[in-house]
Amino acid sequence: MDQHESEQEPTIAPGGIVVGVDGSEHGQCALVWAAREAERRNLPLHVVTAYSVPIFAASGLDGGYATVDDSVIREGAEEIVRQALSKVSVYPIDVDGSVENGDASGVLLELSASAELLVFGTRGRGGFVGRLLGSVSSALPAHSKCPTVTVPLYCGDRLGEPTEDKHVKAERAKSGPRAIENVVAVGVDGSEQARVAVLDAAEAAERMGAKLRVICAVPEYSGSLAWVPAPLDREALFKDIRVQLDAGLAWIRSHFPRLTIETQLLDGSPVDVMVEASRNVELVVLGTRGRGGFTGMLLGSTSDGVLHHAKGPVMVVPDREDPRLADRADFGPMLGAA
């Protein structure tokens, strides 16, 4: 790579799938998932790593600040990208890579303006992905201009990626082997943002040749559930929600007539329900925000609940306008509608 490639941030504006790597096992899982998705979508894959030169206070009498050699860090970053490109060379996709100089999350957020999808691991070595879901855990999913997919190390066995992580190995031993259903699961709460997520989930299910499972989880009533219509007993509430879910099912089928779709109405914490679902399905899909019953909780105070504890890939879909939303009311009552 040219010594001056990364003097501007970022140096490229990819239009396909962007995956962040740092050489860690977490990054390897994200890389493999992204390559498979690029093949499914027939899109190019761009592999990126980012670094910033650390600055520290000098201890000499002259004071001031000192920096480490930029070329040494950059050479290490370039080697990470080279290894990643070699790893995905077996896939029938167009792939390239770059090293960017700057904050990792900031680089990816800027790239999200032109990318169709951002993919990254849950944590890494600290240089790149290690920061993504640390102190800035909500920065990428909440502010990305395109959907994001977080790939946890726990699901590495699905991707043929072994791990020596003792925490992952202990948890796998405790839970035992589980068959992965060919299912894309999406959480809904009656918000417009959730309906956008359902559309993206349906498209993902079609690409995977999978079933779409629409899940609505109803926690114990509290004032935060603004979408719940009046104080009702649980049985009446579930009956009302079921009618609206069935109407939504008819709407989705009208746009995806060849897709196998089912709904689940469950009693329990939305975060717990979706984390458990992630153990057994190919992909979990969520909106960035909602009415408080489901996705409104996700990227607020409970973001760690799903993104950090999911056992499979999680796609977070940003809010956007979609012409297919216009005919939803034609199919019957909507969750949360006045």
Side-chain angles (χ1 to χ4, degrees), residues 36-53:
R36 293 183 180 183
E37 184 67 5
E39 183 177 359
R40 282 190 288 263
R41 297 194 187 200
N42 193 27
L43 288 175
L45 177 67
H46 184 78
V47 179
V48 62
T49 194
Y51 74 96
S52 54
V53 179

Side-chain angles (χ1 to χ4, degrees), residues 3-295:
Q3 180 72 22
H4 303 291
E5 257 186 22
S6 65
E7 290 184 356
Q8 296 181 359
E9 298 180 43
T11 58
I12 41 79
I17 295 176
V18 174
V19 58
V21 298
D22 69 342
S24 69
E25 290 183 340
H26 295 259
Q28 296 299 298
C29 288
L31 176 65
V32 171
W33 193 94
R36 293 183 180 183
E37 184 67 5
E39 183 177 359
R40 282 190 288 263
R41 297 194 187 200
N42 193 27
L43 288 175
L45 177 67
H46 184 78
V47 179
V48 62
T49 194
Y51 74 96
S52 54
V53 179
I55 300 175
F56 55 92
S59 58
L61 294 177
D62 58 340
Y65 295 88
T67 63
V68 299
D69 186 358
D70 172 271
S71 63
V72 173
I73 298 177
R74 183 174 179 84
E75 287 173 5
E78 290 175 344
E79 179 59 26
I80 287 172
V81 171
R82 277 193 291 269
Q83 291 176 3
L85 293 177
S86 176
K87 187 178 184 70
V88 298
S89 63
V90 297
Y91 292 90
I93 57 176
D94 293 330
V95 59
D96 64 1
S98 71
V99 174
E100 301 296 330
N101 190 342
D103 176 76
S105 58
V107 166
L108 282 186
L109 284 175
E110 191 157 351
L111 293 178
S112 75
S114 58
E116 292 197 25
L117 186 72
L118 290 183
V119 183
F120 43 86
T122 49
R123 59 185 176 87
R125 291 179 173 172
F128 185 83
V129 190
R131 300 191 59 191
L132 295 189
L133 292 179
S135 61
V136 292
S137 61
S138 64
L140 285 175
H143 301 294
S144 174
K145 301 298 189 299
C146 68
T148 61
V149 173
T150 306
V151 184
L153 183 58
Y154 185 91
C155 71
D157 54 347
R158 307 185 195 180
L159 302 167
E161 289 297 306
T163 179
E164 294 303 317
D165 187 286
K166 62 181 181 181
H167 300 294
V168 171
K169 294 176 75 172
E171 188 168 357
R172 285 178 182 167
K174 182 179 179 180
S175 62
R178 293 197 180 204
I180 304 301
E181 298 179 84
N182 192 24
V183 168
V184 173
V186 57
V188 299
D189 71 339
S191 65
E192 196 84 335
Q193 292 79 18
R195 284 187 277 274
V196 170
V198 169
L199 292 170
D200 277 29
E203 292 172 352
E206 281 198 334
R207 285 191 298 269
M208 293 180 175
K211 177 192 298 183
L212 177 65
R213 181 173 296 155
V214 180
I215 301 175
C216 182
V218 183
E220 290 297 320
Y221 176 76
S222 73
S224 66
L225 298 181
W227 61 278
V228 174
L232 298 173
D233 63 72
R234 298 289 282 183
E235 184 177 348
L237 174 60
F238 270 66
K239 183 177 180 180
D240 186 51
I241 294 175
R242 171 55 65 190
V243 170
Q244 297 167 76
L245 280 176
D246 288 345
L249 181 60
W251 168 66
I252 291 294
R253 282 177 172 157
S254 74
H255 291 285
F256 298 89
R258 295 184 299 275
L259 188 62
T260 301
I261 311 172
E262 65 182 25
T263 60
Q264 286 187 350
L265 178 56
L266 303 175
D267 198 341
S269 158
V271 171
D272 291 344
V273 165
M274 296 311 292
V275 168
E276 183 62 26
S278 72
R279 294 179 179 273
N280 306 317
V281 302
E282 291 288 354
L283 180 66
V284 165
V285 182
L286 302 167
T288 50
R289 57 190 177 87
R291 296 179 179 271
F294 195 100
T295 48

